[in-house]
Structures are given as structure tokens and as C-alpha cells.
Amino acid sequence: MKTKISIIGAGNVGASLAYLVIQAELADVVLYDIAEGVPQGKALDISEAGPLWISSASIVGTNDYAPTAQSEIIIVTAGFPRKPNMSRDDLLLANAKVVSEVVQRTAALSPHAIFVVVTNPVDAMAQLCLKVSGFERERVIGMGGILDSARFRTFVAWEAGVSPRDVEALVLGGHGDQMVPMPRYTTVKGVPVTELFTHERIEALVQRTRQAGAEIVSLLKVGSAYYAPAAAIFHMVKSIIVDEKRLLPCAAYLTGEYGVSGVYTGVPVVIGKCGIEKIIELKLNEQEKIDFAKSVDAVKSLVVKLGL
Ligand code: NAD
């Protein structure tokens, strides 16, 4: 029997993820959305790609929560994306309403599931999901750092003129304007970028990474990025289903790690069949500590606004 996962929100991110999961035959998918006909239409379209990818994974689209029951993973992508000149934080109240409802409904039907939260501002939404579901922290993970790190990898690879496969990068902290790209832990085939590029070039790559989501929003005019976000979620979902134990930067609820307690923020975690199986603590230098604290404070201010 294949794993059953539910994707809540059949918009750009949710549908792109569903397509990747079916193409890879990773799991059977329930695609839920509030908009009538949209999840059904997208699920039908993706089903019809099945024969071409030689995939026997199934997908159903629905406006009813019942088919999501007993899912192993619930991916929350429902809510509003930002518009040009909006920050992710501007979505806080509108998306909190959506996420509260979605989590309440799905957690009741799938009490053993792992939540992967994507809706922005993702660190605060993951914290809301933790509270509303009542699940333990290992089973509520936010997606942000994998995407930010993939963006940093892309820019470093272009700068170095090498394949992104040969670049490793790390971005810590909240998935917002205060995120913390980590040049000391960013390498081209093992060589830290701090030894390859000038300080000014690294700063430019760091700034582009921080603004990478906004850069796409301003080009698209309507909606925000979804191909790379869907690919990032795919890797989290795969690491859970296959129990790969990938080391990935994700939003996790900290209870003392990095000297932080009671808030979600992006840190390297090991992801396996139980969700977050380990949080890895890296040594930060003084400047990194200051930047990380700033980023955590930005998440805390959102969480306070939600009364969490
Ligand atoms: P989208 O507008 O294309 O899709 C959102 C979908 O949510 C729509 O189909 C809408 O009908 C649905 N929806 C709204 N209210 C709902 C409800 N109450 N129940 C069920 N479905 C509901 O947006 P998108 O581009 O897919 O982005 C989705 C979210 O993901 C946004 O908040 C966006 O900011 C966020 N996002 C996060 C990251 C990340 O790195 N964490 C990356 C990309 C996008």
C-alpha cells in the first residue's frame, strides 16, 4: 500500500507539489481546496499525466475534508500569497484564520500525521499549527530554509560558474526579510565561499537571497514563487516517506537549542519517518549570533500578535 498524503490548498504551490509527487510515484495524494472544482480539475489533469510518467500513484481532488482521513503527512499550502510591495508578514492575520481552520479539521481526521506547513509567514503559521493541532513538535515542521538555501546555492553557482550540484549552502533563521544566509557554511565543492569571493560579492549574494522571493513577486505581478517551493517541499516529504534522514534546514520549535525557547525558526534538522528526529546545533560566531537573534525576534513579534 502506498503512503497517503494530503495537500491542503490546490493553488500554485499545492498543485505543483502534487504533480511532483505523482510523477515520482512517491505517494497517493488527496488535494483539498475550498474553491469548488479547482482541486477536482487539477487532480484530473495530473491523473491524466500518470500514464505518461508510468506512475500508478493516485490523486483525488476534493472540497470535503473526509477523504483526507488517516493521511501520513498533511501539507498546508492554503492561504494567500503576497503581492508586489508586500512582505510575508503582511499576510499574518488573513492566513492565520485559514491555517487555524485547516489544521483543526485535518488534525482531527489524521491524528498520527506529520504536518508540513508552507503558508506564509511560515514560522508563525507552523507555531499556530503546533498550538491548534496539539501535536508534539517533532510532527510540525515549517518549510523555508530549504528553499532559501536552494536560492543561495543558485546564486553562488552562477557566481562561481559551476553546477549548483557542486554548491552546498545554508540559510538559518526565520523565512522572512531577516533570514540569515551563512557564508561560512556555504561551500563550492567543500571550499567555503569566504575563501573564494570578496566580502562585497558575498554581501550581494546574501542580499539577493534575502530578497529572492520578492524578486519573483515583483516580476510575476500576480502570485509568488511556486516551482522551487514545491521542489523544496517534495524533498521534505520524500525524506519522511522514505525515512531518508536528510539534514535539511527547516522551521522547528526550539526549546533551548541555540539559546532560544518557545518559538519556531529555521535550523538544520534531520528528517525521517517520525518527522524532526534531531536538531543540529552549529557554532555561530558573534555576528551570526546577532543576526540569528534579530531573525528570531522578528518571528517572536508575529507570534505575539497571534497571541500564541
Ligand atoms: P495560491 O493563491 O496559488 O493558492 C492558495 C490556495 O489556497 C487557493 O487555491 C485558495 O483557494 C486556497 N485556500 C484559501 N483559503 C482556503 C481555505 N480556508 N481552505 C482551503 N484552501 C484555501 O497561493 P500559492 O502560490 O500556492 O501559495 C500558497 C501559500 O504558500 C501562500 O501563503 C504563500 O505565501 C506560501 N508560500 C510559502 C513558501 C515558503 O517558503 N514557506 C513558498 C511559496 C509560497
Side-chain angles (χ1 to χ4, degrees):
M1 214 172 75
K2 274 194 283 301
T3 304
K4 172 178 173 179
I5 69 169
S6 289
I7 301 173
I8 312 301
N12 284 333
V13 175
S16 303
L17 172 67
Y19 186 59
L20 293 177
V21 170
I22 296 298
Q23 189 181 18
E25 214 176 13
L26 186 63
D28 289 333
V29 176
V30 176
L31 186 61
Y32 172 92
D33 201 286
I34 203 167
E36 278 179 29
V38 172
Q40 291 87 347
K42 292 193 181 183
L44 188 57
D45 191 7
I46 293 170
S47 295
E48 289 164 3
L52 300 168
W53 295 122
I54 320 178
S55 168
S56 50
S58 74
I59 174 164
V60 290
T62 177
N63 306 119
D64 179 4
Y65 279 106
T68 70
Q70 304 308 332
S71 291
E72 288 181 41
I73 308 174
I74 312 247
I75 300 110
V76 180
T77 74
F80 304 95
R82 57 183 162 152
K83 300 189 177 114
N85 302 317
M86 259 178 119
S87 84
R88 295 175 181 94
D89 297 354
D90 295 332
L91 301 166
L92 183 73
L93 297 180
N95 281 348
K97 226 173 133 205
V98 173
V99 169
S100 268
E101 178 197 318
V102 158
V103 170
Q104 212 173 357
R105 301 295 301 271
T106 52
L109 290 166
S110 300
H112 305 294
I114 293 170
F115 274 105
V116 174
V117 181
V118 180
T119 305
N120 272 321
V122 69
D123 305 273
M125 293 301 115
Q127 190 140 345
L128 181 61
C129 178
L130 183 81
K131 167 113 191 267
V132 173
S133 66
F135 287 10
E136 58 274 29
R137 69 169 179 160
E138 289 76 11
R139 291 196 290 135
V140 180
I141 322 170
M143 190 288 281
I146 307 180
L147 172 63
D148 300 325
S149 302
R151 287 171 167 162
F152 197 20
R153 281 174 74 183
T154 307
F155 304 141
V156 167
W158 288 344
E159 183 77 13
V162 302
S163 161
R165 283 169 59 183
D166 293 325
V167 178
E168 278 299 337
L170 184 61
V171 179
L172 299 183
H175 177 62
D177 296 342
Q178 312 286 334
M179 69 178 72
V180 190
M182 301 279 290
R184 280 195 316 128
Y185 289 101
T186 296
T187 61
V188 179
K189 215 65 189 173
V191 183
V193 291
T194 44
E195 291 182 24
L196 293 173
F197 309 142
T198 63
H199 178 71
E200 288 68 32
R201 283 313 302 154
I202 292 173
E203 236 351 83
L205 300 173
V206 162
Q207 277 315 324
R208 189 166 183 192
T209 302
R210 287 205 176 108
Q211 291 302 314
E215 187 178 354
I216 292 174
V217 170
S218 70
L219 288 166
L220 293 179
K221 313 272 187 316
V222 179
S224 55
Y226 51 99
Y227 291 117
I233 309 163
F234 177 84
H235 283 290
M236 291 172 75
V237 169
K238 183 163 176 240
S239 195
I240 295 168
I241 293 176
V242 186
D243 196 22
E244 286 184 309
K245 310 215 185 290
R246 296 278 315 273
L247 178 54
L248 301 165
C250 295
Y253 187 71
L254 301 185
T255 56
E257 298 86 357
Y258 291 88
V260 173
S261 261
V263 70
Y264 266 82
T265 203
V267 290
V269 299
V270 175
I271 296 202
K273 65 176 186 321
C274 301
I276 294 179
E277 299 190 348
K278 207 188 278 177
I279 294 177
I280 306 295
E281 285 197 68
L282 300 174
K283 272 199 180 157
L284 305 187
N285 66 25
E286 285 315 306
Q287 188 56 50
E288 289 160 354
K289 278 185 194 159
I290 292 169
D291 293 345
F292 187 75
K294 252 193 225 161
S295 184
V296 171
D297 283 347
V299 178
K300 273 188 189 156
S301 72
L302 298 180
V303 166
V304 166
K305 278 188 200 152
L306 292 179
L308 295 172

